Amino acid sequence: MILVGENINVMSVTIGPALKERNPKPIQELAKAESGAGVDYLDLNIGPARKAGDELMSWLVETVQKVSDKPLSLDTTNPVATEAGLKACKNRALINSVSLQPERLEKILPLAKQYSTDMIGLLWGVEGMPRDANERCMLAVDLIYKANQMGIASENIWIDPIATPVSVEINQVKACLEFMSMLTEIAPECKSIVGLSNVSNGTPAHLRPYLNRAYMIMLMKYGLYSAIVDAFDAELVQIARGEMPEIVSLVHRVMDGDKPDPASLSRKEMEYVKTVKVLTGETLYSHSWLEI
Ligand code: THG
């Protein structure tokens, strides 16, 4: 699987101020650490960046490229900043992201074509968040059609069904999984990507990795191509690299209805099984789900 490190983002307590002050050091240290942790791409999330976003993104791209050769994912809702970043990128870039609002499509699709990038097709419609898997399918078909018309090949489109917090709405967590199981049929040439940390938003920090890892394995059952991840979750990186096949197969068996005897499971295996049950909606989420 392709991993996109999420750690360089404007919300971070160290990176936010560094971006504002144009202080390269904390950013370069993080970029080196993320690259060393084994991710494939670095996401550069500057948020809406309404003020001087173009200058900020090109500065950030150059700053990161001085210490890392990884390809970059340009994460901003400001299209002027996206283009400025693309001009500075040495490698083929990933545009994060193109959603279905007409003004986004009009501005970003031509950039993806002109700069021959990959692009994340975010399934966010004119009316906002899709309510279920079917609405996600309709948005995906619409987005892919419009991108294809613009001359962007399906293999360069990474569809993002939008993961949402399990502590907020289990039906959306399930819908994202269900959509992933349908994507290979509706658009077999397209790739896929999910922001895994979204699913654990609002959960105590020390418990977030359990949800992120289990959800990734569940999505892998349906062929997930890539994920936006915390680069410093070493176990998650190991799983994505195929180094924990027993856990992957256990999770997939549980999804198929297998009920393994708790006495036969290690503590770690038990934690995965409990977490899968939360993510399928079999157990109601609470902060103490691992203890029940
Ligand atoms: N899809 C796409 N792009 C995305 C997302 C997605 N970009 C933004 C987001 N979701 C993925 N990136 C992050 C980055 C940080 C966190 C979650 C998702 C996060 N950070 C910790 C926090 O807020 O508590 C720590 C912050 C810090 O570094 O200090 O949770 O879904 N296409």
Side-chain angles (χ1 to χ4, degrees):
M1 253 179 60
I2 299 292
L3 297 179
V4 181
E6 74 189 4
N7 304 76
I8 300 177
N9 74 85
V10 68
M11 303 291 282
S12 146
V13 288
T14 49
I15 299 307
L19 287 171
K20 208 167 163 196
E21 295 156 13
R22 305 289 192 272
N23 174 11
K25 203 155 176 272
I27 296 166
Q28 290 177 330
E29 271 167 20
L30 189 54
K32 278 191 271 188
E34 273 193 90
S35 306
V39 296
D40 303 290
Y41 280 75
L42 302 181
D43 190 64
L44 305 183
N45 183 343
I46 62 167
R50 284 189 198 89
K51 220 179 80 198
D54 49 348
E55 185 269 321
L56 177 59
M57 188 60 104
S58 59
W59 175 82
L60 180 57
V61 167
E62 278 160 17
T63 299
V64 168
Q65 285 181 161
K66 280 182 191 140
V67 297
S68 170
D69 292 327
K70 301 285 179 196
L72 304 174
S73 156
L74 306 183
D75 194 350
T76 174
T77 45
N78 176 346
V80 181
T82 302
E83 179 158 24
L86 290 173
K87 283 191 178 137
C89 279
K90 285 193 281 202
N91 297 311
R92 183 185 174 88
L94 177 61
I95 296 180
N96 187 9
S97 58
V98 189
S99 51
L100 281 110
Q101 296 99 315
E103 70 278 8
R104 294 280 304 154
L105 289 168
E106 273 163 33
K107 289 196 178 122
I108 311 281
L109 287 181
L111 293 180
K113 176 68 188 163
Q114 186 187 340
Y115 291 87
S116 14
T117 73
D118 287 277
M119 58 168 251
I120 295 179
L122 190 75
L123 301 185
W124 181 270
V126 177
E127 284 156 34
M129 183 80 188
R131 280 166 293 190
D132 57 20
N134 284 324
E135 285 193 8
R136 283 174 168 79
C137 285
M138 291 192 293
L139 292 175
V141 168
D142 193 11
L143 183 62
I144 295 161
Y145 177 79
K146 286 175 172 143
N148 289 164
Q149 264 193 328
M150 185 61 75
I152 298 160
S154 291
E155 64 190 41
N156 300 330
I157 305 172
W158 305 17
I159 296 292
D160 182 342
I162 311 182
T164 55
V166 68
S167 58
V168 174
E169 233 282 55
I170 185 62
N171 285 322
Q172 284 287 17
V173 174
K174 289 163 75 174
C176 182
L177 275 167
E178 187 189 351
F179 169 80
M180 201 54 68
S181 76
M182 299 157 96
L183 182 61
T184 44
E185 276 160 51
I186 61 169
E189 307 86 14
C190 284
K191 298 183 164 102
S192 56
I193 185 159
V194 169
L196 291 176
S197 299
N198 296 9
V199 86
S200 62
N201 223 318
T203 298
H206 69 288
L207 295 173
R208 294 186 65 174
Y210 292 94
L211 290 164
N212 301 345
R213 295 169 195 157
Y215 201 46
M216 178 175 75
I217 299 175
M218 292 168 80
L219 290 159
M220 283 163 66
K221 189 172 198 282
Y222 306 119
L224 181 68
Y225 172 77
S226 67
I228 307 175
V229 302
D230 174 4
F232 305 119
D233 183 343
E235 186 166 317
L236 182 134
V237 174
Q238 272 187 307
I239 295 164
R241 297 296 174 235
E243 289 162 18
M244 292 179 67
E246 295 84 7
I247 289 288
V248 173
S249 110
L250 173 66
V251 167
H252 291 177
R253 273 184 282 126
V254 170
M255 290 169 75
D256 285 333
D258 194 25
K259 300 210 181 324
D261 175 8
S264 72
L265 300 177
S266 69
R267 183 196 164 98
K268 187 195 279 283
E269 287 169 334
M270 200 61 223
E271 288 167 346
Y272 273 94
V273 170
K274 285 179 177 173
T275 308
V276 172
K277 286 184 177 165
V278 168
L279 290 166
T280 56
E282 192 181 324
T283 314
L284 197 64
Y285 175 83
S286 78
H287 292 346
S288 56
W289 87 91
L290 289 176
E291 284 135 50
I292 300 165

